[in-house]
Amino acid sequence: MYILDTNTLIYYFKGQGQVVQNFANVSPEEICISTIVLFELQVGIAKSTSPAKRTQQLQQLLKGRSHISQFKVSGKQIYGGK
């Protein structure tokens, strides 16, 4: 499974690097996005010069190729050391 970060998805949306080609070789079941990354993308879209285009790209990705991983407080406490 691939858990994608915000920068990877920005590269995907902008067609930078080999991200689009790499996605084409991965089954949808193997792609995961955390709720934190989803939030970061939505904040970025709100500040974007092309919010309609970016919203459409994100919706298309979420509809067809990925799972959303919930970030739970217990995970935060474990990794934060509290």
Side-chain angles (χ1 to χ4, degrees):
M1 178 167 286
Y2 298 90
I3 301 176
L4 305 177
D5 67 357
T6 307
N7 289 337
T8 300
L9 290 169
I10 290 170
Y11 296 154
Y12 173 75
F13 294 144
K14 292 184 175 183
Q16 296 176 332
Q18 299 294 318
V19 180
V20 173
Q21 293 85 354
N22 290 339
F23 271 26
N25 296 322
V26 177
S27 75
E29 295 81 25
E30 293 184 64
I31 295 176
C32 182
I33 300 169
S34 76
T35 53
I36 293 171
V37 169
L38 182 59
F39 172 77
E40 290 176 338
L41 289 171
Q42 290 172 331
V43 169
I45 287 169
K47 297 177 181 181
S48 172
T49 59
S50 304
K53 177 182 177 182
R54 300 299 179 210
T55 298
Q56 183 180 24
Q57 288 174 314
L58 180 59
Q59 289 174 347
Q60 188 66 28
L61 177 72
L62 296 176
K63 182 171 67 170
R65 296 203 47 94
S66 62
H67 299 282
I68 304 296
S69 173
Q70 298 294 321
F71 185 78
K72 298 179 182 178
V73 173
S74 61
K76 178 183 160 210
Q77 291 172 340
I78 290 170
Y79 293 107
K82 297 184 183 213

